[in-house]
């Protein structure tokens, strides 16, 4: 609130005796009329008022009585009156520029020839309107490195009289040794306090810094504070790593803890024995047993305000669980006196394994000892022993060692047979099943006993002669090789086994039964040529052999058919020195098929053959069927295969049964020759021997490869039934099988059925016959509508150069595939994309993007449906607003304000936080998405958070919350008693609003957003312009359009005059058409009448109804802005809105808003 003070009095000059007593000092509220007057003892002919502004030497004529043709130079909200020697100047709305000297000059007339004047000084009080605590980066915080010095600077607004003083508090303690600078501009005084904090400790983090000042005027006082927080940049201290032992198969999870957290939050870097592992406060990494006991290092990287990056390190050795190596379990046995000791030994592991010993039921006397676990090479090994008496009864019984690790994750077992030294119980001679002439292998096996016999412990004898030769051990036996002949038949063969525990060697013997094969095998026949139906006598004679052999003879005819002959007699004869000779006879009746039949006789491994010769007349062999594969180059049939004759027939002709033309057999080879075998080769063929009058037909079948046809639909919708039939043709009829894509045979009868097909699959049909095996793959596709996905759902465009290209891409999965993909702009224009084999793309140049920022759509379709995806193309600029603003961990008088950052839109973003209560405003700046709040002692708070980057600010987001119950307890009773009064008052206000709302009309426009002011001095006020009402002669701008309150036609008709400002369209002096007036962009800007555009000021209008200096303002416009000058470039004095004069005037309400 501004107060005016008329200092001194109207000074008396020439002929002061004509003036009455000067007026006394005047002190009034600035919103009331201030009267400067003078009086004379008699009526003056002429009274003229002059004004000399402060800091100016020129006098301005204000008004003369009676009226003269003076040009009014100074015209402000004044009224003039004269009455019988008393003249006065009334000023309703005094502003700072009204201070100066006011002179009343009296013309006493020509008779006196005198002019006299009285002068008074008008001084105006400028109250304190703000205190500004200078912060580091307009964020509400003062930034400083730990142990560094920081200057704290605070300034008051300019006042008159001077502020009472200024002080700076650190927390609740007053900052000493501050320098206070006083700046004067005319009669205005501004105070600036400069203090310094030395060696700022970490404890000062978030310390509140308060700058306060007060002012005392004649009728009013003012006190203001500005609060900031101290942000101390410091590296973290006392780092430690918390990392639990890494369990088998799991990740290493480690956290880098700070006993004193760094500010701002440092970045963290992890290394394991120098190998980079990752970034972040918490590390999750895959490790193996090779990493056990390696050194894990965490480095915190702190970036101070000044200087190089600081690195703080800590290390810790990690432990990684690992099982013992595969096959590492061992069982070891040793003798210890009268005991046998078996030890189960595990491999190295971490942690140690558990060993369990399982004994066979025969080892009743065994004793299992406790397991022993010992550290070994960074891990542990476990051993466990079992002892048992050294008796033969414990020999060769099983002991099982079982190791278990990780609660059964890893198990392994090994078996050990107990070995107890003892003598064998007996010995056994080992001979081959057949003892033959020549080399034979003989052995001696110990029954029982341990350890196994050694070759030196065994001797072999033939009769009484020692057999010398190399001996080999195999299992529990010793073998050697002996040469035998027929003379050894019936001799005694023996072995002897010696042992230290045996007084007499064990011995085993056997008589030799030496076998030998006949040296000769002979077949004889009683004739060389036989007639049909004659008896063929076949005699088989063998030379001496042992034992008595079996003679086997077979007859094989030309067709390959073979029969075994039955002997009619077999006579063995003993031979010397031993063995037998045998003569065996076979009788066979000759038939026409026996010519050139082969008689084959076998004894042991000897075989002898002889061919029969039987005289036969030509005979055609009926029903002969020959088979040949399709594609063979040629096929031959010998004549004797179809016509049997002895002597054989050498001439014949042949033809297909369905053709008349005959061909001759190959005279030399007697063969039927067919070439280039095809399906047409198959059929009946007629053969005629000519002179022998023998003829007949044969059948030739052509074997053809399988030809496969798959019947069924292979393109299906998901979930339907699949039925495929594999049809195979060929000779002979092929066998059909289905095989799935994993190689598994499907048991079907040629028909494949899948009740519900869910994915693309491949099935193989195979068909085989005696010609070949063929296969065909059926690819089953599962049809589905397109699924379109944007490769980058959000595309940020940073460059706006004319040659810049932005590519947007989408991928599409569909069956069948889409043939094209459309890219639809925000304006609805569709173009086709380019497919590179993987994704669809659309390149946008500068012109394409110019008016097409926003949401693009890529859309594709097939016969089963349509799908689309959105791509948001955003031009780089100010960040998006934050999300999910909330108060967490609200306990007592503290809490943590958290939010989720929006997109930074191409530039690094920071966050500004303002916490407002009824008695204070706190500001913060951070790069994090949280701010701790302390000392929440007020009842209600409003937190505002917005993001900033180098391109501007986001839309602010507000959160209102109540303080803790502890802070509110003291006001509960007061609120209870006052709630009735508040409700009553609210009802009265609503009633007044409704009553006046129908009488008043206005158009409300918001002020410029806070964040659009570079000097942060916007006020959250509303601005309003009067709506024009058409009447005869033009438009008027009404305040009250009823008869009780006439329209505002001129200043003299208003009881509450308001400030006038020029309004322009795009800062043009051509002005705005009255009918279109009302755009808030036109507020606060004007040009001086003859000044260039660069000299724009925020000034009052000089309004004269008949001669208006500015074309930009309608004549009858009452401007109802809040009376402040803009802080933008149009304010040549750079006066803050919060410091500009704002007179007190009553509020005028309308149905659409509030006029302030």
């Amino acid at each position: 609130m501004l107060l005016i003070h008329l200092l001194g009095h109207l000074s008396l000059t020439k002929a002061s005796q004509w003036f009455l007593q000067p007026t006394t000092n005047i002190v009034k509220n600035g919103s009331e009329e201030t009267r400067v007057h003078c009086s004379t003892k008699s009526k003056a002919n002429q009274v003229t008022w002059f004004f000399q502004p402060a800091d100016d030497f020129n006098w301005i004529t204000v008004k003369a009585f009676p009226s003269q043709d003076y040009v009014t130079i100074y015209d402000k909200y004044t009224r003039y009156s004269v009455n019988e020697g008393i003249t006065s100047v009334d000023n309703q709305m005094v502003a700072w520029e009204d201070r100066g000297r006011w002179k009343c000059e009296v013309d006493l007339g020509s008779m006196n020839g005198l002019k006299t004047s009285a002068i008074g000084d008008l001084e105006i009080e400028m109250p304190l309107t703000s205190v500004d605590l200078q912060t580091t980066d307009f964020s509400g915080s003062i930034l400083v490195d730990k142990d560094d010095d920081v200057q704290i600077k605070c300034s008051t607004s300019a006042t008159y009289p001077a502020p009472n003083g200024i002080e700076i508090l650190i927390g609740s303690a007053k900052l000493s040794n501050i320098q206070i600078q006083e700046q004067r501009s005319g009669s205005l005084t501004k105070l600036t306090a400069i203090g310094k904090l030395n060696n700022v400790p970490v404890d000062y983090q978030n310390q509140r810094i308060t700058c306060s000042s007060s002012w005392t005027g004649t009728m009013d006082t003012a006190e203001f504070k500005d609060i900031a927080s101290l942000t101390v940049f410091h590296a973290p201290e006392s780092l430690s790593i918390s990392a639990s032992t890494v369990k088998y198969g799991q990740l290493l999870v480690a956290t880098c803890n700070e006993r004193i957290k760094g500010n701002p939050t440092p970045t963290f870097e992890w290394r394991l024995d120098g190998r980079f592992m990752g970034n972040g406060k918490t590390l999750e990494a895959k490790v193996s047993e090779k990493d056990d006991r390696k050194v894990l290092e965490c480095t915190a990287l702190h970036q101070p305000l000044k200087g190089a990056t600081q690195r703080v390190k800590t290390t810790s050795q990690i432990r990684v669980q690992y099982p013992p190596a595969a096959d590492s379990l061992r069982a070891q046995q040793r003798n210890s006196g009268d005991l046998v000791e078996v030890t189960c030994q595990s491999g190295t592991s971490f942690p140690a394994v558990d060993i369990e010993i399982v004994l066979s039921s025969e080892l009743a006397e065994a004793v299992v000892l406790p397991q022993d676990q010992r550290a070994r090479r960074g891990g542990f090994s476990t051993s466990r022993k079992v002892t048992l008496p050294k008796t033969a009864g414990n020999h060769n019984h099983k002991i099982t060692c079982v190791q278990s690790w990780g609660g059964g994750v890893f198990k392994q077992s090994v078996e050990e047979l107990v070995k107890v030294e003892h003598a064998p119980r007996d010995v056994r001679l080992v001979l081959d099943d057949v003892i033959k002439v020549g080399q034979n292998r003989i052995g001696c096996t110990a029954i029982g006993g341990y350890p196994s016999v050694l070759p030196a412990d065994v001797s072999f004898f033939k009769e009484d002669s020692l057999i010398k030769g190399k001996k080999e051990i195999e299992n529990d036996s010793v073998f050697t090789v002996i040469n035998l002949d027929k003379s050894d038949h019936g001799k005694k063969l023996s072995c002897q086994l010696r042992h230290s525990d045996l007084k007499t060697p064990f011995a085993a013997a056997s008589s030799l039964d030496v076998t030998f094969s006949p040296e000769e095998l002979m077949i004889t026949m009683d004739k060389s040529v036989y007639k049909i139906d004659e008896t063929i006598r076949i005699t088989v004679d063998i030379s001496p052999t042992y034992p008595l052999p079996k003679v086997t003879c077979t007859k094989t005819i030309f067709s390959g058919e073979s029969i075994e002959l039955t002997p009619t007699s077999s006579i063995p004869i003993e031979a010397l020195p031993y063995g037998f000779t045998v003569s065996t006879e076979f009788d066979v009746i000759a038939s026409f098929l026996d010519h050139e039949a082969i008689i084959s006789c076998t004894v042991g491994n000897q075989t002898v053959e002889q061919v029969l010769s039987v005289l036969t007349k030509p005979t055609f062999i009926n029903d002969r069927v020959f088979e040949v594969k399709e594609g063979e180059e040629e096929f031959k049939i010998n004549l004797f295969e179809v016509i049997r004759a002895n002597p054989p027939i050498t001439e014949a002709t042949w033809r297909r049964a369905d053709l008349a033309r005959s061909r001759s057999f190959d005279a030399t080879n007697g063969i039927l020759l067919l070439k280039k075998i095809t399906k047409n080769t198959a059929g009946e063929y007629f053969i005629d021997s000519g002179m022998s009058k023998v003829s007949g037909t044969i059948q030739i079948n052509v074997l053809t490869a399988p030809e496969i046809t798959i019947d069924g639909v292979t393109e299906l919708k998901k979930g339907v039934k699949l039925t495929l039939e594999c049809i195979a043709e060929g000779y002979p009829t092929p066998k059909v099988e289905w095989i799935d894509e994993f190689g598994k045979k499907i048991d079907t009868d040629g028909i494949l059925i899948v009740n519900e097909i869910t994915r693309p699959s491949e099935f193989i049909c195979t068909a085989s016959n005696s010609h070949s095996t063929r296969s065909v793959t059926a690819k089953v596709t599962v049809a589905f509508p397109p699924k379109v996905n944007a490769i980058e759902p959000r595309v940020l465009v940073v460059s706006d150069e004319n040659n810049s290209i932005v590519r947007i891409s989408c991928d599409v999965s569909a069956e069948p595939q889409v043939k094209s993909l459309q890219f639809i702009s925000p304006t609805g224009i569709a173009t086709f994309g380019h497919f590179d084999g993987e994704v669809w793309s659309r390149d946008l140049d500068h012109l394409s993007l110019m008016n097409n920022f926003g949401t693009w759509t890529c859309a594709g379709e097939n016969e089963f449906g349509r799908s689309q995806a959105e791509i948001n193309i955003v031009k780089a600029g100010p960040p998006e607003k934050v999300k999910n603003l909330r108060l967490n961990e609200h306990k007592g008088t503290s809490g943590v304000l958290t939010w989720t950052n929006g997109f930074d839109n191409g530039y690094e973003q920071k966050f500004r936080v303002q916490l407002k209560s009824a008695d204070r405003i706190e500001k913060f700046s951070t790069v994090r998405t949280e701010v701790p709040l302390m000392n929440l002692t007020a009842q209600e708070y409003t937190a505002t958070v917005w993001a900033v980057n180098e391109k501007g600010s986001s839309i602010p987001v507000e959160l209102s919350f109540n303080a803790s119950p502890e802070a509110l307890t003291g006001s509960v009773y007061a609120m209870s008693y006052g709630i009735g009064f508040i409700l009553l008052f609210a009802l009265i206000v609503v009633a007044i609003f409704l009553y006046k709302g129908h009488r008043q009309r206005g158009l409300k426009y918001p002020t410029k957003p806070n964040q659009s002011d570079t000097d942060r001095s916007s006020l959250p006020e509303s601005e309003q312009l009067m709506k024009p009402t058409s009447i005869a002669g033009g438009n008027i701008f009404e305040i009250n359009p009823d008869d009780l309150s006439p329209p505002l036609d001129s200043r003299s008709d208003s009881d509450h005059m308001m400030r006038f400002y020029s309004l322009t369209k795009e800062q043009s002096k051509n002005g705005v058409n009255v009918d279109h007036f009302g755009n808030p962009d036109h507020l606060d800007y004007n040009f001086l009448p003859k000044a260039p555009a660069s000299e724009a000021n925020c000034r009052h209008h000089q309004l004269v109804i008949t001669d208006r200096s500015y074309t930009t303002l309608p004549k009858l416009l009452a401007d109802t802005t809040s009376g402040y000058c803009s802080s933008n470039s149009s304010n040549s004095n750079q006066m803050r809105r919060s410091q500009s004069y704002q007179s007190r005037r009553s509020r005028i309400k309308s149905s659409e808003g509030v006029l302030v």
Side-chain angles (χ1 to χ4, degrees), residues 627-640:
E627 291 183 343
V628 59
K629 289 184 178 181
E630 180 183 17
E632 296 280 352
E633 287 296 322
E634 61 183 20
F635 178 61
K636 299 177 182 178
I637 301 176
N638 288 308
L639 187 59
F640 66 82

Side-chain angles (χ1 to χ4, degrees), residues 1077-1099:
F1077 183 74
N1079 189 330
D1081 291 338
H1082 305 152
L1083 290 173
D1084 297 343
Y1085 301 91
N1086 75 284
F1087 296 103
L1088 294 176
K1090 297 181 180 180
S1094 61
E1095 298 180 7
N1097 279 324
C1098 177
R1099 291 287 184 90

Side-chain angles (χ1 to χ4, degrees), residues 765-823:
C765 173
T766 62
S768 5
N769 61 10
S770 53
H771 181 280
S772 60
T773 298
R774 302 288 173 90
S775 63
V776 172
T777 300
K779 295 185 178 181
V780 179
T781 58
V782 178
F784 56 92
K787 183 177 181 182
V788 182
N789 294 301
I791 302 299
E792 293 184 59
R794 180 183 176 87
V795 177
L796 189 66
V797 180
V798 177
S799 174
D800 56 358
E801 298 178 0
N802 292 338
N803 60 352
S804 61
I805 297 295
V806 173
R807 171 167 293 183
I808 54 177
S809 304
C810 292
D811 64 0
V812 185
S813 58
E815 187 59 46
Q817 293 294 327
V818 298
K819 297 180 180 178
S820 63
L821 193 74
Q822 286 186 329
F823 288 85

Side-chain angles (χ1 to χ4, degrees), residues 36 66 121 189 210 244 269 343 352 362 405 464 469 498 647 666 674 682 690 720 728 846 856 916 1147:
V36 181
D121 291 328
T189 301
T210 306
S244 58
E269 184 180 276
T343 302
E362 292 83 359
W405 181 87
D464 294 328
R498 296 177 297 277
D666 186 302
L674 302 176
V720 303
H846 180 73
W856 285 68
K916 183 178 181 182
R1147 298 190 176 193

Side-chain angles (χ1 to χ4, degrees), residues 442-458:
I442 59 175
C444 189
T445 301
I447 300 174
Y450 181 80
S452 299
V453 296
L454 298 176
D457 298 333
V458 176

